[in-house]
Amino acid sequence: MAIPLVVTVLLALASTITPRTTSAAFVPRDNYLIDCGSETGTTLPDGRTFKSDPQANTYLQANDQNKVSIENGNNNPDLPNQLYSSARIFMQEAKYSFHLIQPGYHWVRLYFYPIKNNIFDLQKATFSVNAYKYVLLHSFNVNNNDKPILKEYLINANEPIFTLSFTPLKNSAAFINAIEIVSVPDNLLFDSGSNLFPVGDYSGLTNHAFQPVYRINNGGPLVTATNDTLGRNWENDEPYITVKNAAMSVVVPTNIIKYPTNNPNISPLIAPPTVYASATEMTNDSAVDQPNFNITWKFDVDTSFSYLVRLHFCDIVSKGLNELYFNVYINEKTAIPTLDLSSITQALATPYYRDFVVNATLMSQEGLKIQVGASLARGGSGNAIVNGIEILKISNSLDSLDGQFGLVGSNGGGSSYRGAVAGVGFAMMFGAFVGLGAMVIKWHKRPQDWQKRNSFSSWLLPVHAGDSTFMSKNASGKSNFSATMGLGRFFSLAELQEATNNFDKANIIGVGGFGNVYSGVIEDATQVAVKRGNPQSEQGINEFQTEIQMLSKLRHRHLVSLIGYCDENDEMILVYEYMPNGHFRDHLYGKNMVGPPLSWKQRLEICIGAARGLHYLHTGTAQGIIHRDVKTTNILLDENFTAKVSDFGLSKDAPMGQGHVSTAVKGSFGYLDPEYFRRQQLTEKSDVYSFGVVLLEALCARPAINPQLPREQVNLADWAMQWKRKGLLDKIIDPNLVGTINPESLKKYAEAAEKCLADHGVDRPSMGDVLWNLEYALQLQEAFTQEGKAEDETPAVAASASSPASAPASAVLPPAAPASSNALDEAVPVPEGNNLPAETRAIDDHSGTLQFARFSLNGR
Ligand SMILES: *[C@@H]1O[C@H](CO)[C@@H](O)[C@H](O)[C@H]1NC(C)=O
Ligand SMILES: *[C@@H]1O[C@H](CO)[C@@H](O)[C@H](O)[C@H]1NC(C)=O
Ligand SMILES: *[C@@H]1O[C@H](CO)[C@@H](O)[C@H](O)[C@H]1NC(C)=O
Ligand SMILES: *[C@@H]1O[C@H](CO)[C@@H](O)[C@H](O)[C@H]1NC(C)=O
Ligand SMILES: *[C@@H]1O[C@H](CO)[C@@H](O)[C@H](O)[C@H]1NC(C)=O
Ligand SMILES: *[C@@H]1O[C@H](CO)[C@@H](O)[C@H](O)[C@H]1NC(C)=O
Ligand SMILES: *[C@@H]1O[C@H](CO)[C@@H](O)[C@H](O)[C@H]1NC(C)=O
């Protein structure tokens, strides 16, 4: 069944995320939390961990920077949290670069507190902050203020590399205490709102950046980031009410709030129940001594900007339906005449909100004025309410949120930078094939028949139900999947038919549970591998989905990359980078054997590459992933024989905590971990076992299982280990290798294989340890080759003359650092690092960013 798998995968994903909210928890795909200047990092009461400085450092390009911190900062009672107790100071322009995996709006939260220090008086620091092309702060200064300041922005990310730059004014400095770059749910902000004047629909909001300047919980308590569904703060409205005795607050229990079932866009992510469970309502007439009046709120804003005003309503004051009718005004214009919540929500206590675009031309010196008053036109109870108010500054035509200073023509977001990262962009984005994204297509493309397609479509539903990020629209309101989700290309079926000669059998390069894999050439002459699912196959559907889930989280030099997809006519087709040299197995033995036999060095390098890919799977992602089907046909070779692990159709998120996943046994015979088989408990050590079999296959050039052989030889692992125990493994190696292997190298290699094949998972090494041993084996072999001149790259030049014993092992030192520390260095960082064990996270971030820094440098 498809559904249970989906549910478990989603639960597994959700459970790894900090437990900030309950059922409708939003899982941000991009989640960079940086505690600048800190040595240790900080975990906030809400459970979020801000990374420490050494990690943050890796995102930063800065020539001249300093760090400061307050001693015992966590004991400073004036600071709301420890994030403010350390900072980085920049004496020159500094730039943070973050790799994003999800396009769309992101929160950018900047924490400032002028720590006293000997380097620079931060109360006098004056600087600008830019993000992409947007000016967030121009000539910013804390104004001799000794208070912590939190600035919040919403930036629509349309480039995979998010740059945040700090530029001090001449002879000044810039500083920052903490940074958040966090994905926002797609249906939090839409492209359109109601234009206040002239009245009508305003569209084009997604072309703008926003700065929330007020967020109000009318009539209710302060809601802090800890209590909010998206880490926002909501304050009480009383200070903004002009005539206080015109208004009173009403609060009901949060559990009576019922989010609408017919509108998935209104969920606790829009505003938590606490916001809807309180309101400011009109007092009775005698209190204000006049029969008819408005409640008025005034907000001080920079009147040179336009604003997005979001008003939240929820009828918690009426006894029955059709009692409440009221007018809503913004800056004395009618925003909603006679709002009738009952007819919209069909129920009491049901949240509703409206967005208004208030153009700067409507601003008076008074700022923003919001008013509500009972509508006499419809009678009713004569009351009016507001439950929440959000006011967001809209970036102006210069792409600025602070003054009339754009970046056009200056550095930072200029066109040269943009052009330069574009090339990187494709490479970095095409792995981001998100299950959610897949759902977008379904939702938009087959509204009529998707319910009938119970098999293929059913797996999409829980994603939809559990996470409401499915609305992704471009400026015209149309879904443009590849552009908005970064999922690589969409291929039409016709295009792929042409590419594969109408899925000609002659083009088949692989067959799996999921369906066939074809080679193809798309129109720009790029060769691709096209994996076409069989929608009739239940297993295929599961595997297709798993593969998407997995690939959305993974990208690494030693994992096969996804280029695009096709879902036309109920097809499930994935398009991958083409691997010209095919399966590792076909270079070792078998009826499909191609090319000259690989040299020992080549085999070692391939095994090392595959080990790196697996090590990354196990440790480089937030929850760790078990491949479950490691074998020589799932190790593919590119034009340079670089190994890439493929086929994640059976993969599973590794268990958190309890150490194993109970699951039906899957995998391939000959590679199956005996312990997994016995106990049906899956751990990453099952992959280690299978990899041990791969090592033997590479050495002995024979299948893991060969039923044609005498019984004791059928199973490669058993057979080879018998020879190993006798110290005679060299008797059963591939004849093509005889005389070319340094015995020390072979010894190391055989030890690694033997450890991988240990009966019990706990006795097997981690992939990182295996990698270390293989690299050592490679070094031993290289020293041997140089010394004995026995072998060069082409194994065809047989080296029978060489004397294996001539290699002094002592001449070779083991790799300087454990291989595991650079095993991930080809990983593009997947920014869910918060969830990794600390040790792994450091590796991931460090290495990810090395790569990342390289991109940035190229981009200049
Ligand atoms: C915020 O959450 C804390 C802990 O869950 C709770 O004690 C507190 O009452 C909540 N505050 C509000 C305003 O809901
Ligand atoms: C109206 O307000 C006055 C003064 O606040 C109060 O005494 C009176 O009971 C209120 N009347 C109603 C119907 O709520
Ligand atoms: C309420 O405010 C609107 C807009 O400012 C105004 O036109 C209207 O007359 C006010 N209503 C009352 C009863 O004062
Ligand atoms: C505000 O109105 C002006 C003039 O009509 C227009 O040029 C500008 O684009 C508007 N701004 C926004 C954010 O709609
Ligand atoms: C938005 O998407 C529609 C349909 O995919 C496309 O025609 C339009 O050009 C897109 N607009 C932008 C601004 O990308
Ligand atoms: C989606 O956007 C991309 C890039 O903007 C464009 O090339 C493509 O034609 C669009 N697709 C559709 C269906 O509009
Ligand atoms: C293969 O190696 C050559 C030479 O080093 C390089 O130019 C090319 O990009 C490599 N190909 C791949 C697919 O990495």
Side-chain angles (χ1 to χ4, degrees):
M1 277 300 294
I3 291 177
L5 178 66
V6 177
V7 173
T8 44
V9 171
L10 285 178
L11 288 180
L13 286 172
S15 65
T16 64
I17 305 301
T18 48
R20 302 177 59 208
T21 52
T22 50
S23 53
F26 170 66
V27 179
R29 287 177 48 78
D30 293 311
N31 194 18
Y32 286 100
L33 308 174
I34 313 257
D35 186 4
C36 304
S38 141
E39 300 297 333
T40 56
T42 296
T43 299
L44 294 186
D46 62 19
R48 292 183 302 161
T49 297
F50 282 64
K51 286 177 192 170
S52 72
D53 201 66
Q55 297 162 320
N57 200 11
T58 60
Y59 304 114
L60 176 64
Q61 282 172 266
N63 293 329
D64 194 0
Q65 47 150 325
N66 295 282
K67 295 188 264 181
V68 291
S69 59
I70 304 173
E71 297 225 346
N72 293 324
N74 45 345
N75 297 332
N76 183 336
D78 297 335
L79 298 180
N81 61 53
Q82 211 183 330
L83 294 175
Y84 294 102
S85 57
S86 67
R88 264 177 192 280
I89 303 177
F90 307 112
M91 308 309 288
Q92 291 174 10
E93 185 187 12
K95 191 180 273 181
Y96 284 87
S97 302
F98 302 93
H99 166 239
L100 303 185
I101 53 177
Q102 185 168 42
Y105 276 99
H106 286 68
W107 304 111
V108 176
R109 296 191 177 112
L110 305 175
Y111 297 71
F112 300 103
Y113 176 69
I115 296 172
K116 289 200 175 50
N117 66 85
N118 302 327
I119 300 160
F120 199 90
D121 178 356
L122 296 183
Q123 289 195 30
K124 299 208 163 60
T126 307
F127 55 99
S128 298
V129 182
N130 307 322
Y132 284 132
K133 61 179 180 176
Y134 296 106
V135 175
L136 306 187
L137 290 166
H138 178 80
S139 226
F140 171 68
N141 171 271
V142 299
N143 282 328
N144 295 323
N145 192 338
D146 193 26
K147 296 247 155 46
I149 295 173
L150 173 57
K151 296 274 183 187
E152 187 177 41
Y153 303 91
L154 284 157
I155 308 284
N156 200 359
N158 53 5
E159 304 268 353
I161 296 176
F162 186 99
T163 54
L164 186 65
S165 64
F166 294 80
T167 315
L169 285 196
K170 267 209 163 51
N171 301 323
S172 186
F175 73 97
I176 180 73
N177 299 68
I179 300 172
E180 290 182 35
I181 313 282
V182 178
S183 305
V184 165
D186 280 336
N187 56 355
L188 190 69
L189 270 176
F190 287 96
D191 190 57
S192 57
S194 305
N195 202 20
L196 202 56
F197 190 81
V199 177
D201 267 2
Y202 178 99
S203 64
L205 283 175
T206 48
N207 300 327
H208 291 275
F210 299 91
Q211 180 182 8
V213 284
Y214 292 97
R215 197 177 281 123
I216 306 291
N217 178 18
N218 294 67
L222 174 72
V223 178
T224 61
T226 318
N227 291 59
D228 183 52
T229 41
L230 293 173
R232 297 162 295 200
N233 289 292
W234 306 73
E235 58 172 324
N236 180 263
D237 61 331
E238 217 228 298
Y240 307 102
I241 299 175
T242 55
V243 181
K244 309 252 190 257
N245 63 357
M248 58 188 198
S249 53
V250 52
V251 181
V252 300
T254 52
N255 61 9
I256 73 162
I257 303 302
K258 300 180 293 281
Y259 287 88
T261 50
N262 59 354
N263 186 347
N265 294 329
I266 301 184
S267 71
L269 299 181
I270 294 297
T274 327
V275 169
Y276 288 113
S278 69
T280 295
E281 63 173 336
M282 295 170 73
T283 44
N284 68 31
D285 298 350
S286 56
V288 278
D289 201 21
Q290 71 179 80
N292 194 9
F293 59 93
N294 291 323
I295 315 175
T296 303
W297 294 265
K298 266 190 197 159
F299 297 95
D300 193 17
V301 294
D302 179 343
T303 55
S304 63
F305 281 85
S306 301
Y307 289 85
L308 178 67
V309 175
R310 173 168 292 183
L311 300 177
H312 298 269
F313 303 103
C314 182
D315 187 353
I316 53 172
V317 297
S318 297
K319 305 232 164 7
L321 290 176
N322 307 313
E323 280 181 18
L324 184 66
Y325 304 100
F326 59 99
N327 302 317
V328 180
Y329 311 94
I330 299 176
N331 282 12
E332 307 197 346
K333 301 269 180 211
T334 301
I336 313 175
T338 313
L339 175 59
D340 174 7
L341 287 174
S342 292
S343 72
I344 295 167
T345 60
Q346 308 288 338
L348 297 179
T350 302
Y352 174 67
Y353 76 86
R354 284 282 295 272
D355 285 343
F356 300 93
V357 176
V358 185
N359 195 293
T361 54
L362 290 182
M363 293 292 168
S364 67
Q365 281 318 104
E366 290 187 286
L368 262 174
K369 188 161 81 174
I370 294 164
Q371 292 171 289
V372 293
S375 166
L376 302 178
R378 298 283 291 271
S381 63
N383 202 352
I385 60 165
V386 175
N387 301 64
I389 301 173
E390 291 179 88
I391 299 176
L392 292 82
K393 193 195 264 184
I394 303 176
S395 63
N396 63 20
S397 57
L398 297 167
D399 290 326
S400 172
L401 281 162
D402 192 9
Q404 309 298 318
F405 307 93
L407 280 180
V408 181
S410 76
N411 58 0
S415 55
S416 61
Y417 173 73
R418 181 165 294 238
V421 290
V424 178
F426 179 63
M428 299 187 84
M429 304 269 269
F430 66 48
F433 194 102
V434 205
L436 295 175
M439 211 207 45
V440 175
I441 318 174
K442 303 300 156 202
W443 199 259
H444 288 287
K445 290 178 73 177
R446 336 186 166 83
Q448 264 83 50
D449 72 349
W450 63 269
Q451 284 161 301
K452 285 184 259 153
R453 303 261 334 130
N454 58 358
S455 58
F456 183 16
S457 296
S458 59
W459 62 266
L460 301 162
L461 294 177
V463 182
H464 170 219
D467 193 319
S468 45
T469 60
F470 68 97
M471 286 275 185
S472 181
K473 294 180 174 183
N474 74 3
S476 74
K478 298 265 173 55
S479 146
N480 185 329
F481 189 51
S482 48
T484 55
M485 303 295 286
L487 303 173
R489 269 191 61 180
F490 170 81
F491 290 88
S492 69
L493 184 57
E495 217 175 335
L496 293 178
Q497 279 168 332
E498 199 184 320
T500 58
N501 199 9
N502 203 13
F503 299 104
D504 190 340
K505 281 204 178 69
N507 285 32
I508 293 180
I509 52 175
V511 180
F514 171 88
N516 292 335
V517 185
Y518 301 81
S519 71
V521 180
I522 54 180
E523 78 283 350
D524 64 354
T526 308
Q527 208 167 2
V528 294
V530 179
K531 191 171 185 180
R532 186 190 197 192
N534 170 6
Q536 259 59 59
S537 148
E538 194 80 44
Q539 183 192 7
I541 294 157
N542 289 345
E543 294 187 17
F544 180 75
Q545 180 224 343
T546 311
E547 182 117 11
I548 293 167
Q549 296 255 2
M550 294 299 158
L551 279 167
S552 68
K553 289 182 275 186
L554 306 173
R555 63 213 55 212
H556 189 274
R557 191 168 126 81
H558 294 289
L559 301 181
V560 169
S561 305
L562 186 75
I563 293 177
Y565 69 94
C566 168
D567 74 334
E568 231 175 45
N569 292 357
D570 302 318
E571 292 278 355
M572 303 182 281
I573 303 179
L574 297 175
V575 181
Y576 298 84
E577 60 175 327
Y578 180 68
M579 303 294 281
N581 280 310
H583 301 137
F584 183 24
R585 174 178 299 176
D586 296 341
H587 295 270
L588 294 171
Y589 60 83
K591 63 181 193 314
N592 298 322
M593 170 114 184
V594 288
L598 298 171
S599 70
W600 181 235
K601 177 164 178 267
Q602 283 175 306
R603 296 182 202 204
L604 280 170
E605 283 169 344
I606 290 164
C607 291
I608 286 169
R612 281 175 191 245
L614 289 172
H615 180 49
Y616 172 74
L617 279 186
H618 292 172
T619 62
T621 59
Q623 52 281 313
I625 288 165
I626 305 169
H627 187 287
R628 285 225 277 177
D629 202 11
V630 175
K631 53 184 177 183
T632 42
T633 45
N634 281 339
I635 297 170
L636 303 181
L637 303 173
D638 78 6
E639 58 173 306
N640 298 330
F641 286 88
T642 301
K644 302 198 187 214
V645 177
S646 77
D647 209 330
F648 305 97
L650 296 181
S651 303
K652 273 228 183 292
D653 287 334
M656 306 293 288
Q658 91 268 33
H660 63 82
V661 180
S662 286
T663 164
V665 173
K666 287 190 182 167
S668 300
F669 285 111
Y671 297 88
L672 265 188
D673 169 10
E675 189 174 58
Y676 167 42
F677 200 80
R678 276 196 307 272
R679 302 174 51 197
Q680 313 216 342
Q681 290 180 345
L682 187 63
T683 73
E684 72 278 4
K685 293 298 178 67
S686 306
D687 284 351
V688 174
Y689 182 93
S690 308
F691 189 75
V693 179
V694 167
L695 292 179
L696 293 178
E697 251 184 303
L699 179 68
C700 305
R702 56 147 284 186
I705 295 280
N706 185 348
Q708 262 122 55
L709 291 171
R711 180 188 267 227
E712 72 280 5
Q713 296 183 29
V714 168
N715 185 310
L716 171 60
D718 294 348
W719 181 60
M721 282 306 108
Q722 284 168 23
W723 288 84
K724 166 76 176 66
R725 281 190 283 275
K726 292 185 223 154
L728 296 173
L729 190 60
D730 59 338
K731 299 296 177 220
I732 60 163
I733 67 172
D734 183 351
N736 292 304
L737 293 173
V738 169
T740 69
I741 306 182
N742 172 5
E744 292 298 324
S745 174
L746 178 59
K747 186 160 167 254
K748 233 359 298 122
Y749 184 92
E751 278 169 17
E754 185 176 36
K755 284 187 206 141
C756 289
L757 296 171
D759 232 348
H760 299 286
V762 289
D763 300 324
R764 294 175 207 146
S766 70
M767 276 321 294
D769 293 340
V770 177
L771 189 46
W772 192 91
N773 281 302
L774 292 178
E775 289 195 325
Y776 193 6
L778 177 62
Q779 285 198 11
L780 290 163
Q781 179 66 15
E782 277 172 340
F784 168 78
T785 312
Q786 277 156 17
E787 182 149 333
K789 296 178 214 73
E791 180 196 55
D792 81 12
E793 281 301 307
T794 29
V797 184
S800 51
S802 78
S803 153
S806 70
S810 56
V812 178
L813 295 172
S820 56
S821 69
N822 60 16
L824 302 170
D825 66 1
E826 290 115 333
V828 178
V830 176
E832 292 168 312
N834 293 330
N835 310 314
L836 293 179
E839 203 171 278
T840 320
R841 207 187 307 143
I843 294 167
D844 183 29
D845 287 348
H846 173 67
S847 47
T849 317
L850 283 180
Q851 155 123 346
F852 188 63
R854 230 176 287 140
F855 286 147
S856 306
L857 290 173
N858 293 342
R860 294 306 299 257

